[in-house]
């Protein structure tokens, strides 16, 4: 969502992944407005449990973070 007519680029990344989990972003960099889908893939070797995953965004010298919860059954 654009705020204050922001037209720069936003870089997205994911961290704090447990061993055996990988990710893809459909657009790791968004210019102006847009969206990106995050896909998490768990290997068969991952241990069942609840994991916190951090999604980071960087834009205009400002960093934002949010935490997602991944539940592996």
């Amino acid at each position: 969502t654009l705020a204050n007519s922001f037209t720069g680029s936003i870089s997205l990344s994911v961290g704090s992944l447990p061993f055996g989990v990988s990710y893809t972003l459909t657009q790791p960099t968004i210019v102006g407005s847009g969206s990106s889908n995050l896909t998490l893939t768990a290997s068969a070797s991952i241990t069942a449990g609840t994991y916190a995953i951090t999604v980071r965004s960087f834009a205009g010298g400002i960093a934002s973070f949010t935490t997602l919860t991944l539940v592996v059954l």
Side-chain angles (χ1 to χ4, degrees), residues 17-70:
L17 291 172
F19 180 78
V21 175
S22 60
Y23 77 93
T24 57
L25 289 164
T26 55
Q27 289 190 0
T29 302
I30 300 168
V31 178
S33 64
S35 63
S36 181
N37 292 317
L38 169 64
T39 301
L40 299 171
T41 304
S43 70
S45 64
I46 188 169
T47 303
T50 302
Y51 302 92
I53 296 173
T54 304
V55 178
R56 302 176 292 241
S57 64
F58 301 94
I62 299 172
S64 297
F65 303 88
T66 192
T67 302
L68 305 176
T69 301
L70 171 65

